[in-house]
Every structure is written in C-alpha cells, then in structure tokens.
Amino acid sequence: MNRSTAPTGTTAAGPGSEPAFTPVPGPGPQPASAPVPGPAPVSTGVIPGAGPAGRPDTDPAVRPAAEPLTEPLARPAAEPLTGRAGQPVAERATLRLRETPPAEAEYGPADNDPRGAAGDPPRYAPEWLRLREPADAAARAHDPLDPLRIRLANLPTRSGGLVVHDLGCGTGSMGRWLAPLLDGAQHWVLHDRDPYLLHFAAVAAPRSAADGSRVTVETRRADLARLTPDALTGAGLVTASALLDVLTTEEVGTLAAACAGAGCPALLTLSVAGRVDLTPTHPLDAEITEAFNAHQRREGLLGPEAVTAAADAFAAHGATVRAHPSPWRLGPDEAELTAQWLRGWVGAAVEQRPELRERADRYLHERLALCAAGELRVVVHHTDLLALCRPAGGTP
C-alpha cells in the first residue's frame, strides 16, 4: 500500500496500497474529481491514488459505495470448523459479521496498538478500492500459484476446507481474485479495522472455488499491529494485498512470526517497489518519484523497502521466499484510475517537499491533459511475495 494526500473525505490509496486515515462521511457516493481546466494547485490532503489505502485494496466484484446493499447478511450455517484437539474454530456461516473486536487473547490489548485503536476506526473510500480493483487483479502474479497449490495440497485435510486469513482486507478484493483460482472448499476470515469496509467485503465475497466447491466468509474487526500467532490457529494460508509497504519493520516481523508459528504459507501481493515508468517521459519524473518514495517512508513505514524486509523476516523463520513482479500497466482504458493515481502520487511528493509545488502544479496539469487525451502510459511497479513457512512439525 502506499500513502499520499488527497481531497478531504477520501483515503490515501495508491499503487499498491490500501487504507488512508481520513474519515469518509458515509456510504453514499464519493464526489467525482472534476477535470482540471488549468494548472490547479496540487492538493496535499489524502488522495485516493498514490498509495493505499493509508491502506486500500481492490477487485471487480466490488459494488460502488453509492449502490444500496440489499444482499442478506446471513446464510445457512454449515458444519463447524475444528482446530486443535477437535475444538470448534468458528461458526461456519457463508457470511458472518462481528460488531465487536476479537478477544484480547487473539490480538492483545487494544491500548498496545501504537496507532491508537481507541474510538471509531478510520474509514477508507470504497470508490477508490473499486476503481483500482481491475488493475490489481490484472497485475497480481500467477507464478506463485503453482507452488502455493502444491503446498496447500500437502496440508492435512480439514473437514471444513482450507482456512484463509486475509489481513487488511479492505473491500475483499484479494478473496475475489484468489478464491476462484484455488480448488476445494474454502473459509475466508477477513481482517480489517474498519467495519464499513468489512461490510462491503462480506456482501461481495466469492461463493465458489475453481472446482465449484463452497466458499464461506466471516469478518473480524482487528488491527495487524495486535496480531498474535493464536489469531492464526488453524490457518492454512495468510494473504494480504497492498499491505506490506504501510507496515513498520516491527509489524512485518510480527506478521512473519505469526505465520511461522501457525506453519502456514503467506501470499502478500502488490507491495510498491519504488519505481514508476511514464511514457512520454518528463524531466520532473525522477524528482517526483524520489519525493514520493521518501513520503512512503514517513513515520517509520517501510515503503519501497517492504518486500526486502519481509523476505528477510520470513527467511529468518526458515521460510522459503519467492518474489515476483506485479506491475500496474495503465493506458487509455484506465484513464480514470491513472488520473486519480497521478493526483495522489504528485500530492504526496509535494507534501514531502513543499518547494516542488509550483513546478509540480504545472507537471500535474500537463500529465492530466495527456491522460485525458489517451496519450499517457504508466507502469507502477509492485512485487508479490510468496513465503512458504515450515509446516507445523515438518519441513518446507
């Protein structure tokens, strides 16, 4: 995920990122960005286009925020999952919403969250997540899927199927992309701090796997900063999208330790790589990129170094780690997404280096004009990471 700044009421969401930290007033439609008639000043508020969502996520099945949600929030329960010693792990409903955070035994006391979990959690803009979802789905690497399938096929058979924990799920794009690519029954546990996004993720969750097997979903309102190995008990796979780059070194270490403790693989997609290619080129491209990358590293976040840090953290626990490129490739068909991303990308660069403002205003105006004319192409580089942790009591 990436961070950036944008108009009030939206969330920083950028090439590989997921939430931001500005509240969204409600489930109504988000205001559309008006065309830029002239060199409008670069905004330094949260912009849904430069890096997640303070953490955003994505996928095509997401309903627009303005569309009323009429799907029922409960479905017939299936057989219960069982974990260690045959104890029930969770109620198996196709869709289950929790209104309260999980027990402290799973995540630790809320006041341990360095970002402050008190009060209402931040809301992210579902419209940004909807907008970027097709680009995310097209970008995610398929190379990790075969080794992942092999590992999953060797896991002990569970009566309830594969249990997948999706961290920082946003509107659930990762599940909508991955569940239909895997065979067998699946139960997805969607984690996010924002109940608003969890609602969207639940109602738009996939219903069947690649072979037609049933896919069920539950949600957990929780923060990764308080994740403990117990929260992943019974997990067969951990996933995340556009998450690593908005974590600290400590949080990445916590994630790696939790996955290693559970003995499950992790598929962590769409982490920003710190490189952007724009065609045609512009003399200011490199300077904006450098300033944006510096903005991503604010407050101790890993930004473009996230994949390297995560690979080291998982390897330290004995995992086999594989990295695969997963770039956004944006052209005329993605003009709306490109324009939003540009505003966020440039806005974050100016927030980091205010002295760029005058030149950045002109730069953004020129880039948006090319985008509107269908003459701009952008490659935003990301990396997908597959970490094959040692199975509990076994070897990788």
Side-chain angles (χ1 to χ4, degrees):
M1 290 180 272
N2 319 352
R3 298 173 301 150
S4 79
T5 49
T8 303
T10 61
T11 309
S17 75
E18 285 197 3
F21 301 96
T22 303
V24 174
Q30 301 299 314
S33 301
V36 179
V42 174
S43 168
T44 55
V46 180
I47 296 179
R55 303 180 191 184
D57 223 354
T58 64
D59 271 66
V62 177
R63 293 180 173 84
E67 179 180 342
L69 298 172
T70 57
E71 190 166 343
L73 294 184
R75 301 183 185 281
E79 64 182 11
L81 289 176
T82 56
R84 296 175 184 171
Q87 294 301 310
V89 171
E91 171 187 345
R92 282 302 297 275
T94 299
L95 183 160
R96 178 158 62 90
L97 294 177
R98 294 183 179 180
E99 295 301 326
T100 56
E104 289 185 358
E106 288 186 271
Y107 288 89
D111 56 7
N112 286 343
D113 182 356
R115 292 180 190 147
D120 293 335
R123 283 184 171 178
Y124 312 131
E127 281 299 301
W128 163 251
L129 305 184
R130 177 197 60 79
L131 184 62
R132 61 170 288 170
E133 183 164 354
D136 283 352
R140 290 190 184 98
H142 282 248
D143 290 345
L145 296 184
D146 281 343
L148 175 61
R149 290 184 183 108
I150 293 171
R151 170 55 60 85
L152 296 179
N154 290 326
L155 291 176
T157 302
R158 300 177 58 89
S159 61
L162 174 69
V163 178
V164 184
H165 286 253
D166 189 26
L167 308 181
C169 69
T171 56
S173 68
M174 185 65 172
R176 287 189 295 275
W177 176 77
L178 183 59
L181 297 175
L182 300 177
D183 287 334
Q186 301 165 42
H187 181 66
W188 283 69
V189 184
L190 307 179
H191 300 246
D192 205 284
R193 289 183 62 176
D194 188 348
Y196 185 69
L197 292 185
L198 286 173
H199 178 76
F200 280 91
V203 297
R207 298 292 185 251
S208 60
D211 60 358
S213 298
R214 192 178 187 215
V215 175
T216 57
V217 170
E218 70 174 272
T219 65
R220 292 187 186 180
R221 182 175 161 186
D223 192 282
L224 181 60
R226 292 181 278 125
L227 182 69
T228 67
D230 287 346
L232 300 181
T233 298
L237 174 64
V238 168
T239 64
S241 188
L243 175 67
L244 290 179
D245 43 283
V246 295
L247 299 182
T248 64
T249 300
E250 181 181 0
E251 288 169 339
V252 164
T254 297
L255 171 60
C259 292
C264 64
L267 180 62
L268 310 169
T269 67
L270 297 172
S271 297
V272 293
R275 293 179 292 117
V276 176
D277 301 322
L278 298 98
T279 305
T281 60
H282 187 286
L284 205 57
D285 288 347
E287 202 167 353
I288 296 291
T289 299
E290 181 181 355
F292 176 80
N293 289 343
H295 188 275
Q296 294 301 99
R297 300 182 184 101
R298 282 184 165 192
E299 300 173 6
L301 301 188
L302 287 166
E305 284 73 48
V307 170
T308 299
D312 290 345
F314 276 96
H317 288 280
T320 300
V321 182
R322 309 180 186 197
H324 301 272
S326 54
W328 273 3
R329 299 186 184 277
L330 309 180
D333 292 342
E334 297 80 26
E336 184 182 2
L337 173 62
T338 303
Q340 286 287 69
W341 172 81
L342 274 168
R343 293 184 178 97
W345 187 60
V346 176
V350 170
E351 185 174 277
Q352 180 68 22
R353 290 184 51 193
E355 70 275 13
L356 287 175
R357 181 179 298 278
E358 185 176 345
R359 287 184 295 151
D361 284 351
R362 293 193 297 270
Y363 174 88
L364 179 59
H365 176 63
E366 293 170 14
R367 286 311 201 181
L368 289 174
L370 284 173
C371 181
E375 298 173 3
L376 182 67
R377 288 179 175 53
V378 181
V379 178
V380 182
H381 293 273
H382 303 98
T383 303
D384 291 357
L385 196 71
L386 174 63
L388 298 174
C389 298
R390 297 177 185 274
T395 57

